Structure formats: structure tokens, C-alpha cells
Amino acid sequence: MNKEELMAILPHRDSMLLVDEVELIDGKAHGKKHITGKEWFLDGHFPGHPVVPGVILCEILAQSVCVCLKDEAHDCLTLFTGLDKVKFRNQVVPGDTFETVCEITRVHKPFYFAKGHGFVNGKLCVSAEFSFALSEKDKQEGV
């Protein structure tokens, strides 16, 4: 899926749509984010040595796994509900292609539990377990 197709599933737009492409293979979401060095989250993190913040890496994992819910997520917001067992192993910097492999591990609607790994050139950069909820857009006040 390219960005246009992803926007049919994910509520994120503009600078918060952090995945460039995602492919579903055997129930696992394989995503990619090309780090150009011009991303807003690199401004000031860190001057002279830009590094993708860990929270952004976790958000990329979460956006990737949502492709697994492409048939269920219509007219819903996907809301992060938790992060667990997050481990950062290596930095992600401009010029890198950050690749994800994520999967849903358990469902207790409206909650979904997942795990994911992020790599650069086959080298593990981050691993995490996380959860999120699907919330119908029309039930959101002020949205």
C-alpha cells in the first residue's frame, strides 16, 4: 500500500502520516519509512547529529500494524492505549530506510494488542509490544 491507500485506513495526515508504504504478508505488516533528514521531528533532535526520536519509531510501528485491520478500521480512529517492553538497540538517522515487521497478537474488542520490530539494513533498532483501541469517529466529541 502506498500513502494514498494508507490514508483510507489510517486517520493520520500530512506530517503525522509516518509510513511511506506497508505490505501485508502472511498476516504481518511490513512497513517502510525513508528518513530524508527534512522531517519535522529531527529539528532540534539533535543539532549536528539528527536522530529519530524513540517515540516516533514507536508511532511508525503502530501505524504499520494498523494495516492488519484494513477491513475493520473504516470510520474509526486508532488510539494508542499502551506501550510495553520497548527496547531501543540502534539509532535511526537521515539516509536510513526504517523497516517494520508488526503483527496483531490478541484481540479483545475494542482493544487490539500487537508486537513489532524495526530494522535498518537488517539490524534491529527497536522492539515493542503495544496496544490500541478502535473508536468510532462519530462517537468522538469535538472531532
Side-chain angles (χ1 to χ4, degrees):
M1 299 183 143
N2 60 29
K3 280 199 172 200
E4 290 295 318
E5 294 166 313
L6 290 167
M7 285 192 289
I9 299 168
L10 296 170
H12 306 82
R13 295 295 181 268
D14 302 323
S15 60
M16 275 310 295
L17 180 59
L18 298 175
V19 286
D20 295 326
E21 56 188 89
V22 183
E23 186 177 9
L24 205 53
I25 303 171
D26 297 327
K28 293 183 181 181
H30 295 254
K32 289 185 181 179
K33 170 65 177 169
H34 307 287
I35 307 299
T36 66
K38 297 178 183 176
E39 292 83 5
W40 61 270
F41 50 79
L42 292 175
D43 291 343
H45 196 271
F46 300 102
H49 187 74
V51 176
V52 178
V55 67
I56 296 296
L57 297 177
C58 292
E59 178 67 24
I60 295 169
L61 291 175
Q63 288 184 20
S64 295
V65 82
C66 287
V67 172
C68 294
L69 301 173
K70 63 183 174 78
D71 297 327
E72 299 179 47
H74 295 291
D75 297 321
C76 290
L77 292 174
T78 49
L79 304 170
F80 241 138
T81 57
L83 280 167
D84 196 20
K85 300 179 183 169
V86 179
K87 303 274 188 208
F88 300 104
R89 308 272 186 216
N90 290 289
Q91 296 177 2
V92 180
V93 299
D96 287 345
T97 296
F98 181 65
E99 298 184 49
T100 64
V101 179
C102 304
E103 65 183 308
I104 303 292
T105 57
R106 189 167 51 100
V107 178
H108 185 72
K109 291 184 180 182
F111 299 99
Y112 293 79
F113 301 85
K115 66 179 178 180
H117 298 86
F119 306 87
V120 171
N121 295 324
K123 200 172 187 183
L124 183 63
C125 296
V126 62
S127 60
E129 294 179 7
F130 48 98
S131 59
F132 54 96
L134 290 183
S135 176
E136 292 180 32
K137 286 181 185 176
D138 61 357
K139 291 187 178 180
Q140 299 291 315
E141 288 187 35
V143 177

